[in-house]
Amino acid sequence: MPETSESESRKLLGRLRDVMAEPAAGQERLDRITHLIADSMHTEVCSIYLFRDSETLELCATEGLKAESVHQTRLRVGEGLVGRVARTATAVNTGNAPAEKGFRYMPETGEEIYSSFLGVPIQRLGERLGVLVVQSKRAREYSADEVYALEVVAMVLAEMTELGAFVGEGAALSALHQRPANFHGTSAQEGAAEGHVWLHEPRVVVTNLVADDTESEKDRLTGALNQLRLSLDDMLNIARTGDHEQLQVMEAYRMFANSPGWIRRMEEDIARGLSAEAAVEKEQSANRARMQTVPDPYLRERLHDLDDLSNRLLRILTGQGSETGAEMPENPILVARNIGPAELLAYGRTLKGVVLEDGSVGSHAAIVARALAIPLVINAKQITTEALNGDTILVDGDRGVVHLRPEEAVAAAFRDKTAMHAKAQERYASIREKPCETLDGSHITLLMNAGLMADLPSLKGSGAEGVGLFRTELQFLLRNKVPRRDELAALYARVMDAAQDKPVTFRTLDIGSDKVLPYMKPQDEPNPAMGWRAIRVGLDKVGVMRMQLQALIRAANGRPLHVMFPFVAQFEEFTAARDHLLREIDREEKLGHALPASVRIGAMLETPSLAFAPRQFFELADFISIGGNDLKQFFFAADRENERVRRRYDTLNVSYLTFLQRVVDRCDDAGTPLSFCGEDAGRPIEALCFAAIGFRSLSMRPASIGPVKHLLRRVDLRDARAVIDTARDSGAQSVRAAVMDWMRGQDWVT
C-alpha cells in the first residue's frame, strides 16, 4: 500500500480516536462515527448494525439512510447482504448490490438508490458483534485499501463495543457481558452446580488501540516477539530432554513465532495506525475466524497453536499475565477453552464445576472431573469470550446446559431442581449402611469407580461395598515421564489402606485412543479407539506392564490383590497377560518379598468378540467386568465421541440386552463372577434391567450408588424380568418404555 494510503488510514484512525475521547452517550458516539467514516471514505452512506440477540441484527446508526429506520430495521443472520456478512464473518464488496444473490431490499431505509456496497464484520476474537457498511450511488467495487481501512475501523469498533463505549437504550445497545446467555454443550459429567465464573485464562483487555508513533509501536512489537522467542527457546531446551512429540510441538511453536507472514501482517497493521496490541489482536481475530471454517483437525490444531502464541504475545505487550491478582470467587466454576488433567487437579475440590469450550467425553479432564465428582460440560462454544470473572453461572451437567448471568426465573427453577436433588440425597443417606437387596431376596453388590486418592473418601460415604474399578492410567497421565515402580507401589498401597478391608480391583494401564501419555508419541491411526491401546500396548511394551505388575504385588504386601486387564479382545491376550502376572509373583517370591494373600485375575469385556471366546476363557478368568462405555460403542458401531451418533442407540435396546444376556449365561455356566462397569450401571432404570437379566454386581461413580440402591431395594426382579421378556417378545426395539410404564404403575412410585 502506498504511503499516502497508509497516512489516510492513520488519519482516519486518529479522527476516530478523537471522537471516542469526546464525552458522549452511546447513541451520540455511534452517530458521530458513521458521519466520520462516510466523510473520510467519501461515501454517501455509512451504517452500523449490532446484534440485539444471537440471531438478529439491528440498524443502530447511519449516515445517509433514513433516520427513522434506526432501531427499526432488523435482519436475521443470513438475511440480505448485511446478514450474509454476519453469517460468514467475511466482507462483501460489490458494485451492484441489487444483483447480488440474497440481496434484500428494505424500503424503510431509502437505500434503493445506492448501488455499491461494502460490508465487513465487527468481531472480536471470534465473537460476532455486528456489521459495518458503506454504500455509494456510483456503481463500483471498493479498492483493497478501502476494504482494509474499513476492516481496521471495524476492529476498533469491536474493541470499543467490548469496553462499553456504545451503551444505550434497547437490546442492541445494552452492555456486553451483562445479558443472560445460555450455552448448549455436551454433558461429560453429570450433576448440577451454582457458583461464580473463574476464568482459567483471564481475557487480555486492549485499551490503547490507536497509536501515532509507528516506529515506536514496531519497536514494541519487535521487543515482545524477541521475549516470546526466548521463552520458547527455554521451553524447547527442556523439551529436548524429554519426549520427541513434545519437541515437535515446541518446534512448531518456534516456527510460528518466526513466521514472516504473521509478523509482516502485524507490522502493516501498525503502519496503518494501530497500536502493537491492536495489531496482534486483529490478526488473532482473523485467525479465529479461519479456525471456524477449517474442517481438517490437524490444521485446526496448528491454528490453535497460533492462537496460543498470540495470547502469549498480548500478555507480554500489555503486562497482563495469567496472575491478575483477582481473588477466586465463592463457589468457583472453572471456565476455560480446554485444560489438562494436572492443571485441573491443581484446583482440586475447590471447584464446584467445570465448563470447557472444547474437550471430549473421554478426555483426561473428563476423567479427573468424574474423580472429583464435579459436573462438567464440554463443547460450550464461545463461553470464554462471553464470561467474566465473578459472573453468576449455573451448570446443568445432566443436560449439558450452562446458564450465564441467568434471569431470576431460570435461577429459581434451577435451585428447585438442586433442592430436590439434595432432598433425594438425604433419603439415600438413610439407606447407606443397608444391603442392596431386592424384594425377591437377590443381593446386588454395588461398587464404585475411582482413579485418584481423592476418590477414596467417597467409599464410605457412598455406601459402596468396594472399588470395582481403579483406573491406574491417571498416575501416568499426570506426569511428564513414566512413574517409578516405588512411587506406584506406595500409591497403590495407600489406596488399599484407604479402602481398609473392602476389595479394590486395579485395572492395568489403559492408554491409547483418547488417553495419550504426554511422553508417548501418539500413533498415526485413522481410528485410535480401535487401534493400539490398553492390553495391546501392554503386551507390546512388556517392560512397562511388568513394572506396574511388580508395583501392585508389592503394594498388596500380604493383602488380597485383584487385577483386571483392559480391552481384551481374545482369549490369547488374556492368557499372555495372566502369565506375565504369575511370573512376576514367582519372581517376587524368589526375591524374598511379601506376596499377596490371594490373587484374583480378571478381564474387561469391552469388545463383542470376547463374548464368543472359548469356554476355557470363562473358566480361567477369576472374574469378568463388562466395560459398558466401550462395549456399547463397538456393539452399535457408534463412536461415543461423536455427538451425531453417541445418543442414537439405547442401552436398553433389545439386541444389546440379548447380547448381555448371553454373557451372563456363559459366566453363570462357568461359575465366573460378572459385573457391569460404566456410566449406564449408575442409571437406576438401566441398573434395574441389568439386575433383572442376571447381573449381581454393578460398578459406578459414587454419587450414583444411592439412587440405584434406592430403586433396587423396592423391586422384585422376577416382575421386572417378566416385563422385559414380554417387551422383547413383542418385537419392541427397546424395553425402556415397557419398564417405565410398569414402574409408573407401582404404588411406591412418587
Side-chain angles (χ1 to χ4, degrees):
M1 177 182 285
E3 179 61 34
T4 54
S5 297
E6 293 173 4
S7 298
E8 288 299 321
S9 178
R10 284 200 301 272
K11 189 185 298 181
L12 171 57
L13 286 175
R15 292 180 66 189
L16 183 61
R17 179 184 56 192
D18 293 341
V19 167
M20 297 301 301
E22 295 171 359
Q27 184 64 57
E28 186 180 352
R29 269 208 182 104
L30 283 174
D31 294 339
R32 290 179 184 176
I33 288 170
T34 54
H35 174 78
L36 168 66
I37 296 171
D39 181 61
S40 297
M41 294 187 67
H42 309 293
T43 64
E44 287 96 343
V45 174
C46 176
S47 304
I48 295 174
Y49 296 81
L50 298 176
F51 278 98
R52 58 177 288 112
D53 58 48
S54 61
E55 293 297 322
T56 311
L57 288 153
E58 182 176 300
L59 177 61
C60 290
T62 187
E63 171 78 12
L65 298 184
K66 292 180 179 178
E68 56 268 27
S69 64
V70 173
H71 298 302
Q72 300 304 313
T73 296
R74 291 171 188 170
L75 291 158
R76 304 286 290 174
V77 171
E79 183 181 8
L81 299 186
V82 173
R84 188 166 115 196
V85 173
R87 178 174 55 79
T88 62
T90 56
V92 171
N93 182 9
T94 177
N96 188 0
E100 282 289 314
K101 183 178 179 180
F103 173 79
R104 184 203 159 187
Y105 170 54
M106 295 177 290
E108 72 274 15
T109 65
E111 66 174 343
E112 68 274 11
I113 61 174
Y114 302 106
S115 295
S116 63
F117 175 99
L118 171 59
V120 298
I122 301 172
Q123 60 182 351
R124 181 183 185 273
L125 302 182
E127 182 184 12
R128 302 176 308 170
L129 299 173
V131 176
L132 175 60
V133 175
V134 292
Q135 295 171 272
S136 296
K137 293 178 182 177
R138 183 165 64 90
R140 71 178 184 95
E141 284 195 11
Y142 291 86
S143 69
D145 292 340
E146 289 172 313
V147 173
Y148 181 89
L150 201 64
E151 287 177 336
V152 170
V153 171
M155 181 260 180
V156 174
L157 292 179
E159 287 296 333
M160 301 315 297
T161 303
E162 171 80 9
L163 295 171
F166 307 122
V167 174
E169 293 184 9
L173 296 185
S174 62
L176 295 181
H177 312 299
Q178 292 185 19
R179 312 171 191 165
N182 296 329
F183 300 86
H184 294 269
T186 303
S187 171
Q189 167 66 8
E190 297 167 347
E194 177 178 1
H196 299 92
V197 168
W198 180 248
L199 291 169
H200 180 56
E201 292 183 336
R203 70 176 68 240
V204 174
V205 179
V206 177
T207 54
N208 58 320
L209 300 166
V210 183
D212 292 322
D213 191 339
T214 299
E215 292 306 315
S216 174
E217 292 303 304
K218 285 184 178 179
D219 289 344
R220 289 182 64 233
L221 178 65
T222 301
L225 282 167
N226 289 336
Q227 191 174 334
L228 175 66
R229 291 175 187 132
L230 285 173
S231 68
L232 292 177
D233 286 342
D234 290 341
M235 287 188 281
L236 190 61
N237 290 331
I238 295 172
R240 283 198 177 96
T241 64
D243 181 72
H244 179 64
E245 181 68 18
Q246 287 180 304
L247 186 63
Q248 285 185 321
V249 171
M250 294 314 304
E251 287 282 11
Y253 265 44
R254 187 165 69 171
M255 179 187 71
F256 278 129
N258 289 281
S259 167
W262 184 48
I263 297 168
R264 185 190 68 251
R265 288 191 299 274
M266 291 189 292
E267 288 179 341
E268 287 176 352
D269 291 332
I270 291 173
R272 290 171 170 112
L274 292 182
S275 68
E277 293 93 327
V280 174
E281 191 163 278
K282 181 178 181 297
E283 290 307 307
Q284 189 178 17
S285 290
N287 177 55
R288 287 200 179 177
R290 286 195 298 271
M291 272 196 286
Q292 295 173 6
T293 62
V294 172
D296 184 85
Y298 176 81
L299 290 177
R300 231 181 6 252
E301 194 59 38
R302 298 289 70 81
L303 288 170
H304 274 303
D305 292 344
L306 187 54
D307 193 51
D308 183 57
L309 278 182
S310 297
N311 280 331
R312 291 171 185 265
L313 191 56
L314 277 173
R315 293 189 189 286
I316 293 171
L317 283 166
T318 62
Q320 297 173 33
S322 57
E323 293 297 327
T324 62
E327 290 188 11
M328 185 178 285
E330 186 180 3
N331 298 322
I333 291 177
L334 188 75
V335 173
R337 194 178 77 188
N338 214 336
I339 191 170
E343 293 173 301
L344 184 52
L345 265 180
Y347 285 105
R349 294 188 181 275
T350 58
L351 299 177
K352 299 301 178 184
V354 179
V355 182
L356 302 178
E357 280 198 7
D358 299 331
S360 65
V361 292
S363 68
H364 309 157
I367 293 169
V368 172
R370 292 186 195 114
L372 297 173
I374 54 177
L376 168 63
V377 172
I378 60 175
N379 300 322
K381 299 304 180 186
Q382 299 298 319
I383 192 167
T384 58
T385 59
E386 178 63 34
L388 295 177
N389 273 341
D391 279 345
T392 300
I393 184 170
L394 311 176
V395 181
D396 187 340
D398 300 331
R399 298 190 301 131
V401 176
V402 178
H403 304 279
L404 185 66
R405 300 182 291 270
E407 295 175 339
E408 187 51 42
V410 173
F414 187 88
R415 289 169 190 141
D416 287 345
K417 177 182 176 179
T418 54
M420 288 175 63
H421 177 73
K423 192 172 181 180
Q425 290 297 328
E426 291 177 10
R427 289 202 308 270
Y428 306 147
S430 68
I431 59 172
R432 183 184 301 143
E433 304 301 327
K434 295 180 180 179
C436 183
E437 192 169 292
T438 62
L439 295 181
D440 57 290
S442 300
H443 180 83
I444 312 298
T445 301
L446 300 183
L447 306 168
M448 63 171 268
N449 300 330
L452 298 165
M453 280 300 298
D455 289 317
L456 274 301
S458 300
L459 183 56
K460 180 175 177 59
S462 67
E465 296 181 51
V467 178
L469 167 67
F470 190 89
R471 306 179 185 91
T472 60
E473 60 272 9
L474 285 179
Q475 288 69 49
F476 288 77
L477 289 166
L478 297 173
R479 290 171 167 80
N480 56 15
K481 61 182 180 179
V482 178
R484 297 197 310 271
R485 180 179 57 193
D486 57 342
E487 291 176 330
L488 291 178
L491 172 70
Y492 300 153
R494 290 200 302 275
V495 171
M496 293 183 186
D497 291 342
Q500 298 178 350
D501 58 343
K502 293 182 178 179
V504 179
T505 297
F506 291 92
R507 183 180 69 187
T508 60
L509 192 58
D510 185 4
I511 56 171
S513 184
D514 53 1
K515 291 175 288 205
V516 179
L517 301 181
Y519 41 87
M520 170 182 163
K521 181 178 181 179
Q523 300 302 303
D524 184 15
E525 298 180 306
N527 191 345
M530 300 177 73
W532 193 60
R533 55 175 292 199
I535 190 68
R536 299 167 182 175
V537 177
L539 292 175
D540 288 352
K541 299 283 187 181
V542 176
V544 176
M545 176 185 273
R546 288 184 57 203
M547 182 271 289
Q548 185 180 27
L549 294 175
Q550 291 164 11
L552 287 166
I553 294 166
R554 295 182 185 184
N557 193 28
R559 291 175 287 196
L561 176 63
H562 301 175
V563 177
M564 177 166 63
F565 294 105
F567 206 66
V568 177
Q570 59 182 6
F571 182 29
E572 183 183 60
E573 291 172 337
F574 177 70
T575 56
R578 182 177 182 274
D579 288 346
H580 279 301
L581 176 54
L582 295 177
R583 280 197 294 270
E584 292 310 317
I585 290 174
D586 289 342
R587 180 178 178 276
E588 290 295 300
E589 184 177 24
K590 289 174 183 175
L591 292 173
H593 297 153
L595 299 180
S598 61
V599 179
R600 298 183 72 236
I601 307 173
M604 286 206 91
L605 194 156
E606 299 170 270
T607 63
S609 63
L610 197 60
F612 300 92
R615 177 182 172 84
Q616 289 90 334
F617 163 69
F618 291 91
E619 293 175 337
L620 187 62
D622 293 319
F623 62 92
I624 294 171
S625 179
I626 297 285
N629 297 341
D630 262 325
L631 179 62
K632 185 177 173 183
Q633 78 166 336
F634 295 132
F635 184 85
F636 289 111
D639 183 359
R640 63 191 176 113
E641 298 293 341
N642 186 335
E643 283 303 303
R644 291 182 177 177
V645 298
R646 83 181 187 99
R647 296 184 185 275
R648 189 182 187 97
Y649 300 99
D650 189 358
T651 302
L652 301 186
N653 179 285
V654 166
S655 300
Y656 190 53
L657 286 183
T658 301
F659 177 80
L660 293 177
Q661 182 73 68
R662 177 184 176 87
V663 178
V664 170
D665 293 343
R666 295 205 71 182
C667 287
D668 285 349
D669 185 51
T672 306
L674 174 69
S675 66
F676 191 103
C677 174
E679 294 175 13
D680 287 326
R683 297 187 171 103
I685 303 301
E686 281 83 342
L688 166 61
C689 293
F690 295 155
I693 67 172
F695 283 92
R696 292 297 174 264
S697 177
L698 303 171
S699 190
M700 63 200 73
R701 64 188 185 103
S704 297
I705 289 174
V708 168
K709 183 188 288 189
H710 179 71
L711 175 58
L712 290 180
R713 283 173 52 86
R714 308 171 86 180
V715 299
D716 187 316
L717 293 181
R718 294 168 299 190
D719 294 340
R721 178 58 185 263
V723 173
I724 291 171
D725 289 343
T726 300
R728 187 156 34 188
D729 293 341
S730 73
Q733 181 167 288
S734 170
V735 306
R736 185 178 300 277
V739 172
M740 294 292 289
D741 286 344
W742 170 71
M743 286 183 58
R744 280 190 283 267
Q746 306 304 303
D747 56 11
W748 44 261
V749 175
T750 57

